[in-house]
């Protein structure tokens, strides 16, 4: 078994140098957890299967039915948080079917494996991937990045749709990257707000064609799935939890000898060495002594004149 040496800074200067060259903290890609409720319909089973197909590189699907999950009820989130911790997933999709809420789909996010926020929608007019006929060469590749198009003013004016927009972006955007090749973007999610409570969502492939310029012409080929999402319930995160979750990781530059006092505000300390007055050397180059030197010079010249007057040759 080999041992690895760990560099331990011996001074504050060495510690600061190590922090400068430390690697940046990068958030890993979010995984999606897909769960079934006590009762599901054929439509809902198809929805969950297609979602797993779209996110199969970053998704975990459990097929067992769960009767103890009640996302919007007190105490009904325990099982969701347990499965999130077990599978290391921060995105949740839970499907259930009942007479009161048919074809019900709950989208959620977690922070530190605790429920952060939730959006509940109803599934209507669903068309699965298998129902579309197209050239399979146009099918989006695994791991590619999608475009998003949100059409409709309701995404900016209706609070529920604004929340749904954030949820859809987080569930389908994939990993965060700094550079992107246009050839690797081969799909787009088009979301249209047809009413304050309904969003029509479809998944299309991008087909690049010649345009006579360096920028190709793009055509959309619908490859499925497509669905009407009817907004039912949504729950935002608490304000304190939002502030904690939005904190960016990193090493903040510490200012020496500066503290923040809640009463007196920002305070600083300065170092002044002890002054030994007895050992200070007083120089003659002081402005306050110039007049004394002029007076002494005048007195000296005056005394010389007096001596000359008293002892003439």
């Amino acid at each position: 078994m080999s041992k690895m040496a760990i560099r331990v800074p011996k001074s504050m200067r060495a510690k600061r140098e190590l922090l400068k060259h430390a690697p940046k903290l990068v958030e890993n890609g979010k995984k999606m957890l897909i769960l079934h409720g006590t009762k599901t319909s054929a439509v809902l089973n198809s929805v969950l299967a297609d979602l797993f197909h779209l996110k199969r590189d970053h998704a975990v699907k459990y097929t067992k039915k769960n009767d103890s999950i009640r996302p919007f009820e007190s105490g009904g989130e325990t099982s969701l948080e347990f499965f999130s911790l077990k599978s290391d997933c921060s995105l949740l999709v839970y499907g259930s079917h009942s007479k009161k809420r048919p074809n019900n789909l709950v989208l959620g996010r977690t922070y530190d494996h605790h429920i952060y926020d939730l959006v509940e929608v109803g599934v209507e007019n669903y068309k699965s991937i298998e129902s579309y006929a197209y050239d399979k060469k146009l099918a989006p590749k695994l791991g590619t990045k999608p475009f998003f198009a949100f059409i409709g003013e309701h995404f900016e004016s209706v609070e529920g749709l604004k929340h749904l927009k954030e949820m859809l972006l987080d569930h389908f955007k994939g990993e965060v990257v700094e550079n992107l090749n246009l050839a690797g973007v081969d799909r787009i999610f088009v979301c249209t707000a047809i009413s304050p409570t309904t969003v029509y969502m479809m998944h299309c492939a991008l087909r690049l064609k010649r345009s006579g310029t360096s920028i190709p012409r793009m055509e959309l080929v619908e490859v499925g799935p497509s669905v009407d999402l009817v907004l039912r319930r949504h729950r935002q995160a608490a304000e304190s939890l939002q502030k904690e979750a939005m904190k960016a990781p990193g090493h903040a530059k510490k200012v020496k000898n500066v503290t923040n006092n809640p009463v007196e505000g920002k305070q600083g300390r300065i170092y002044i060495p002890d002054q030994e007055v007895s050992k200070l050397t007083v120089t003659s180059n002081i402005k306050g002594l110039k007049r004394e030197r002029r007076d002494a010079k005048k007195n000296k010249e005056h005394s010389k004149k007096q001596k000359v007057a008293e002892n003439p040759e």
Side-chain angles (χ1 to χ4, degrees), residues 165-200:
K165 176 183 176 181
E166 294 176 4
M167 195 71 70
L168 292 176
L169 281 172
D170 226 7
H171 276 67
F172 295 103
K173 70 180 180 181
E175 294 188 13
V176 178
V177 295
E178 295 182 358
N179 299 317
L180 188 63
N181 187 358
L182 184 60
V185 184
D186 58 356
R187 68 175 75 189
I188 181 172
F189 289 97
V190 182
C191 304
T192 307
I194 57 181
S195 75
T197 57
T198 305
V199 174
Y200 172 61

Side-chain angles (χ1 to χ4, degrees), residues 216-228:
R217 181 170 59 89
M218 292 186 179
E219 286 187 358
L220 300 185
V221 179
E222 195 168 356
V223 297
S226 65
V227 62
D228 286 346

Side-chain angles (χ1 to χ4, degrees), residues 17 76 85 87 94 114 134 139 158 194 220 231 240 276 279 306:
E17 289 297 324
L85 179 61
S87 58
Y94 173 71
H114 294 285
Y134 58 92
V158 180
I194 57 181
L220 300 185
L231 185 66
S240 58
E276 298 180 4
K279 295 182 179 180
Q306 284 183 350

Side-chain angles (χ1 to χ4, degrees), residues 111 116 237-247:
Y111 173 70
Y116 180 76
E239 187 176 354
S240 58
L241 186 59
Q242 285 184 11
K243 290 182 179 179
E244 186 178 354
M246 294 298 177
K247 288 181 181 178

Side-chain angles (χ1 to χ4, degrees), residues 99-150:
K99 186 177 180 181
K100 184 178 180 180
R101 291 186 176 88
N103 299 326
N104 198 54
L105 201 65
V106 177
L107 307 176
R109 296 181 290 185
T110 64
Y111 173 70
D112 195 18
H113 300 296
H114 294 285
I115 297 299
Y116 180 76
D117 58 350
L118 297 167
V119 173
E120 184 182 64
V121 293
V123 176
E124 295 181 359
N125 303 324
Y126 182 73
K127 292 183 180 180
S128 64
I129 296 176
E130 296 179 353
S131 63
Y132 286 88
Y134 58 92
D135 186 2
K136 298 304 177 182
K137 294 180 180 179
L138 300 176
K141 304 299 186 296
L142 184 66
T144 55
K145 293 281 292 182
F147 279 123
F148 285 88
F150 291 93

